[in-house]
Amino acid sequence: MNSFGQIFRLTSFGESHGVGIGGVIDGCPAGIEIDLDFIQHELDRRRPGQSKITTQRQESDQVEFLSGIFEGKTQGTPIGFLIRNKDQHSNDYNNLKDVFRPSHADYTYQKKYGSRDHRGGGRSSARETIARVVAGSIAKLMLKQAGINIHAFVQRVGDIELTKSYQELDLSQTETNIVRCPDPETADKMIARIELAGKNHDTIGGVIQGVVQGVPVGLGEPVFNKLHADLGHAMLGINAVKGFEYGSGFDGTRLSGSEHNDVFVKSEKGIRTKTNNSGGIQGGISNGEDIYFNVAFKPIATLLKEQQTVDKDENEITINPKGRHDPCVLPRAVPIVEAMAALVIADHYLLSKINHN
């Protein structure tokens, strides 16, 4: 399936080393003001070659809108867009044409489809996520009008962890460093850890935390489209993601019910909860508190060092891949996490208009 969402819906197309990556956004309401500079800024946050700790593939990642926007506003019609690939080094992958790289989609794609695009992973490449960032940026513009804001930041790289809660941080500082961690001291340590991985021709994983603020009560469906379930579905569909938790997550399993329950209290803003172990979602429906979640990313599977594997004829061989690859996906994945959260919240925001009390 190449489409995501029920009402606010994205269909993406394209491969890593093809002509380009693009998509069609359907269900976006008319009248949303489109800030092209904001959209390009979101793409620049995801693009390769942006710092010393990312892949040096050079792509401008300029988006071309083909339809659905007129005089700076959405028309309620399908929004078509394209980002052209300009810096493919496809020859770097020639020696991998018949080889199954460890922990990649090479083997599973070959068995499922009977063929595969070996150039950078083809459709399985994380370059496909650029379409999600375009759609997510438009969803963000829509949600901003409703007072909903989405932030994500790098919370952990390997064993270097940000110990402060998001409430203690100035999230506006996330973009002040190349690793996208809002705490400068921790950011420096994370950068050093990523540089060490790159120096050793290795990779490192970690965790991105997302925070959604300003969400009204009532987003989410009570059974098969619980808000947290759709957020999990969105995050687990991002390349290299291995886990998702929201609210107290796995740490909450260490608590008793009396410690974990979010007690309701009366406030000037109406009914609120004294704590937020629920992560802003109860019964699959938003309760008006902040929604916060963690997304776990594995170390990138492409190592620029020798590894053992097999080829399509089941011969055991040694490979030493070439190419330009990130030693850590996390800094460039921050806008992707935000984009996927925006798509989910936008979709449920529009769904709530149908089922509104």
Side-chain angles (χ1 to χ4, degrees):
M1 303 299 290
N2 297 293
S3 299
F4 182 86
Q6 299 177 79
I7 295 180
F8 194 105
R9 188 171 179 85
L10 166 68
T11 299
S12 75
F13 63 84
E15 294 83 33
S16 176
H17 286 232
V19 172
I21 302 288
V24 176
I25 304 165
D26 207 356
C28 181
I32 305 299
E33 292 190 9
I34 296 300
D35 184 340
L36 294 177
D37 290 336
F38 171 75
I39 295 171
Q40 192 58 53
H41 173 69
E42 294 294 277
L43 290 171
D44 289 345
R45 295 169 69 210
R46 195 223 70 98
R47 72 174 177 84
Q50 62 182 271
S51 77
K52 64 182 179 179
I53 58 173
T54 64
T55 172
Q56 293 308 297
R57 177 173 175 171
Q58 295 297 317
E59 295 282 2
S60 61
D61 285 350
Q62 294 286 323
V63 61
E64 303 172 40
F65 285 103
L66 310 176
S67 64
I69 299 172
F70 180 67
E71 295 183 341
K73 293 184 178 181
T74 58
Q75 298 297 295
T77 56
I79 301 171
F81 62 89
L82 175 67
I83 304 96
R84 297 181 187 275
N85 295 326
K86 297 181 178 179
D87 188 30
Q88 313 98 306
H89 287 188
S90 299
N91 290 338
D92 288 344
Y93 297 88
N94 286 346
N95 63 331
L96 300 174
K97 183 177 180 180
D98 299 321
V99 172
F100 301 137
R101 296 169 296 170
S103 287
H104 283 75
D106 300 343
Y107 174 72
T108 52
Y109 264 55
Q110 185 70 41
K111 296 297 287 186
K112 180 176 179 66
Y113 298 108
S115 65
R116 64 183 176 88
D117 184 347
H118 66 279
R119 305 166 303 166
R123 185 69 175 153
S124 69
S125 169
R127 184 149 179 78
E128 180 274 336
T129 60
I130 196 169
R132 311 184 195 196
V133 173
V134 174
S137 65
I138 293 177
K140 279 186 176 184
L141 291 171
M142 186 192 93
L143 293 172
K144 185 178 180 181
Q145 294 184 4
I148 301 172
N149 295 295
I150 299 170
H151 305 276
F153 57 89
V154 175
Q155 194 267 342
R156 180 165 60 80
V157 171
D159 58 358
I160 308 298
E161 187 169 6
L162 178 57
T163 56
K164 298 176 183 176
S165 69
Y166 76 87
Q167 296 99 328
E168 301 174 78
L169 299 166
D170 180 358
L171 298 184
S172 69
Q173 296 299 301
T174 299
E175 295 295 317
T176 61
N177 56 75
I178 59 177
V179 78
R180 296 198 165 92
C181 172
D183 182 70
E185 184 178 346
T186 306
D188 288 341
K189 295 177 181 178
M190 290 176 172
I191 292 168
R193 181 65 186 88
I194 295 172
E195 289 181 321
L196 177 62
K199 182 180 179 181
N200 293 331
H201 302 292
D202 213 331
T203 61
I204 190 74
V207 172
I208 289 175
Q209 184 162 118
V211 182
V212 189
Q213 297 173 308
V215 180
V217 180
L219 301 194
E221 303 300 314
V223 184
F224 294 120
N225 286 103
K226 290 178 167 66
L227 186 56
H228 60 272
D230 282 358
L231 282 169
H233 172 57
M235 299 307 154
L236 290 166
I238 300 173
N239 304 60
V241 169
K242 302 297 286 185
F244 171 82
E245 63 176 359
Y246 75 101
S248 62
F250 289 100
D251 285 342
T253 65
R254 305 175 190 275
L255 303 177
S256 64
S258 58
E259 294 171 310
H260 190 269
N261 278 356
D262 294 320
V263 176
F264 288 107
V265 294
K266 182 180 179 180
S267 76
E268 295 178 356
K269 296 181 179 180
I271 295 176
R272 303 294 299 270
T273 59
K274 191 173 183 180
T275 55
N276 191 20
N277 291 316
S278 300
I281 303 171
Q282 293 172 324
I285 300 171
S286 62
N287 66 2
E289 303 295 330
D290 290 350
I291 296 171
Y292 63 97
F293 55 87
N294 289 333
V295 187
F297 286 80
K298 71 175 182 178
I300 293 173
T302 299
L303 310 181
L304 300 182
K305 58 173 33 175
E306 286 191 355
Q307 293 184 87
Q308 300 300 309
T309 189
V310 299
D311 63 20
K312 67 176 186 178
D313 296 320
E314 301 186 9
N315 298 310
E316 294 185 350
I317 62 172
T318 299
I319 61 169
N320 193 347
K322 303 185 186 320
R324 299 158 296 173
H325 304 280
D326 295 89
C328 179
V329 73
L330 294 163
R332 293 177 60 210
V334 166
I336 302 169
V337 167
E338 291 181 358
M340 294 307 294
L343 291 176
V344 171
I345 300 299
D347 200 30
H348 277 280
Y349 182 80
L350 295 175
L351 280 167
S352 73
K353 299 301 182 182
I354 300 172
N355 299 323
H356 188 68
N357 181 9

